[in-house]
Amino acid sequence: MNERLLPVITLILLILSGCVNGGISGAKPPKVYIEIGGKTHEATLGTYCWGNKCVDTVGPIKILEGKDPIKIKPGETISIEMGYEPKPNEFHVLQMKDGVETEVTLQNNHFTAPTEQGIYYYSYGAWWMDEKKENVSNGDAFYAFVLEVESE
């Protein structure tokens, strides 16, 4: 092989590898951050399928054992941020408290903290669904975080 072509071929392979699986890349799903009152906290990665690898973990409450909850005020705005392209085109947030699960509605990646004091666990599920093939996921990831709503 011509040695001058090797860098060009390597570049082409890198570009092509970034185009498989709906444009997702990397060994693991991207990091997700929870932003509250100007402070950023990293969410914990749980179960995911990314590239050719699937990892199954315990649920959000178990995976967060031993982690300190993020302390927040009642009704405070919470933002879920991901510095990654492409963005997931499907996502869901589930809130868990005292054995009760509640779906949380995100508006522009934001939601409002509960007004009642207590510890709340959250699961953020993100899917990179194929734009051309119905019901085909190119990657998915679940993240967990825990909030403690304190009195004002």
Side-chain angles (χ1 to χ4, degrees), residues 30-83:
K31 292 182 178 185
V32 165
Y33 298 93
I34 310 307
E35 198 261 304
I36 304 165
K39 292 184 179 177
T40 303
H41 310 270
E42 188 175 340
T44 301
L45 177 62
T47 297
Y48 66 88
C49 280
W50 199 256
N52 294 325
K53 182 177 183 181
C54 289
V55 173
D56 192 16
T57 65
V58 295
I61 295 172
K62 198 79 169 154
I63 204 168
L64 293 168
E65 272 184 2
K67 294 200 181 228
D68 292 329
I70 302 165
K71 298 183 185 308
I72 61 171
K73 295 180 178 114
E76 199 163 5
T77 299
I78 300 156
S79 175
I80 299 177
E81 304 294 334
M82 178 186 300

Side-chain angles (χ1 to χ4, degrees), residues 53-124:
K53 182 177 183 181
C54 289
V55 173
D56 192 16
T57 65
V58 295
I61 295 172
K62 198 79 169 154
I63 204 168
L64 293 168
E65 272 184 2
K67 294 200 181 228
D68 292 329
I70 302 165
K71 298 183 185 308
I72 61 171
K73 295 180 178 114
E76 199 163 5
T77 299
I78 300 156
S79 175
I80 299 177
E81 304 294 334
M82 178 186 300
Y84 181 81
E85 291 295 335
K87 298 282 186 223
N89 49 10
E90 188 175 319
F91 48 84
H92 297 278
V93 177
L94 190 63
Q95 173 188 288
M96 294 150 274
K97 182 178 188 290
D98 301 329
V100 177
E101 295 183 355
T102 308
E103 183 84 23
V104 174
T105 302
L106 282 182
Q107 293 182 339
N108 295 322
N109 296 330
H110 294 78
F111 70 97
T112 304
T115 54
E116 185 182 315
Q117 283 183 274
I119 295 179
Y120 297 81
Y121 291 88
Y122 290 86
S123 172
Y124 172 71

